[in-house]
Amino acid sequence: SGRIGRSRRDRRTRQRRVGRDQRSGSGSCAVADRVAPRAGPTFDDPRLAAHLHTARRVIARRTPVLLCGETGSGKEVFARAVHASSPHAGGAFVAVNCASLPETLIEAELFGYRAGDFTGAERRGRPGKFELADGGTLFLDEIGDMPLSLQVKLLRVLQQGEVRPVGSTQAIPVNVRVI
């Protein structure tokens, strides 16, 4: 019992030391690998902070922002930080992983659809992600995996500021920032 208590106490002490070392920038990697890093975005890197500042200025001017990075590099965290400090922070932040949507449904997901448009559709129709993000920010992750034909429709939405749901003849104006 004393031995188990001592090992738990040693582990807690080691974890506190690693946390303190991580904050100060020193410490041993062997111990640090066993302890989870602090959660949440940290923009201590001056280059990252400068990019965030630039993205905030650009998105305030209604210009879409393109973030490039590998999967898992923190694009969504960065996009949320831009949204949170933008004039549209009071609006919704809607994140869509374009690679996870089936090619046959991506148009309906982004632009919405009207009642009875296709088999399996909801009776009343459904608003798309652009409508849900109206007044806020839409983050389109893995946009390069989107079919080219849909990228053309997306460009039209960005230029015109309106979406046309699948099966509808009416365009719906949207005020959305796209990252």
Side-chain angles (χ1 to χ4, degrees):
S1 167
R3 187 176 189 180
I4 292 173
R6 200 172 330 128
S7 70
R8 285 184 186 152
R9 206 177 9 222
D10 291 345
R11 191 175 337 132
R12 282 194 303 264
T13 303
R14 202 174 330 126
Q15 288 172 342
R16 275 194 298 263
R17 188 178 329 119
V18 168
R20 187 176 57 246
D21 290 345
Q22 285 177 339
R23 286 189 293 277
S24 68
S26 63
S28 107
C29 292
V31 175
D33 288 342
R34 286 186 244 138
V35 180
R38 289 183 295 161
T42 56
F43 297 114
D44 296 334
D45 181 347
R47 291 178 300 171
L48 189 56
H51 289 310
L52 181 62
H53 177 71
T54 301
R56 288 175 181 153
R57 286 190 355 235
V58 168
I59 205 143
R61 292 188 178 113
R62 299 185 51 103
T63 303
V65 173
L66 177 64
L67 294 178
C68 297
E70 297 293 323
T71 300
S73 62
K75 294 183 297 287
E76 186 171 344
V77 172
F78 190 85
R80 285 183 185 277
V82 171
H83 169 73
S85 61
S86 77
H88 304 283
F93 179 89
V94 179
V96 179
N97 185 335
C98 298
S100 69
L101 297 173
E103 196 172 313
T104 56
L105 296 178
I106 194 165
E107 185 174 7
E109 283 291 320
L110 289 178
F111 307 129
Y113 60 86
R114 293 299 162 237
D117 190 51
F118 53 89
T119 304
E122 292 182 17
R123 283 187 184 175
R124 292 172 277 144
R126 176 183 259 180
K129 302 301 184 191
F130 275 94
E131 287 180 75
L132 295 175
D134 193 24
T137 303
L138 177 64
F139 174 61
L140 298 174
D141 197 11
E142 306 295 339
I143 195 167
D145 294 337
M146 186 183 295
L148 289 176
S149 61
L150 208 55
Q151 289 183 28
V152 171
K153 291 180 181 182
L154 178 62
L155 179 60
R156 186 164 182 85
V157 171
L158 294 175
Q159 289 174 337
Q160 304 297 324
E162 57 187 28
V163 295
R164 188 175 313 272
V166 176
S168 176
T169 57
Q170 298 290 324
I172 300 170
V174 289
N175 179 17
V176 63
R177 302 298 171 265
V178 179
I179 300 178

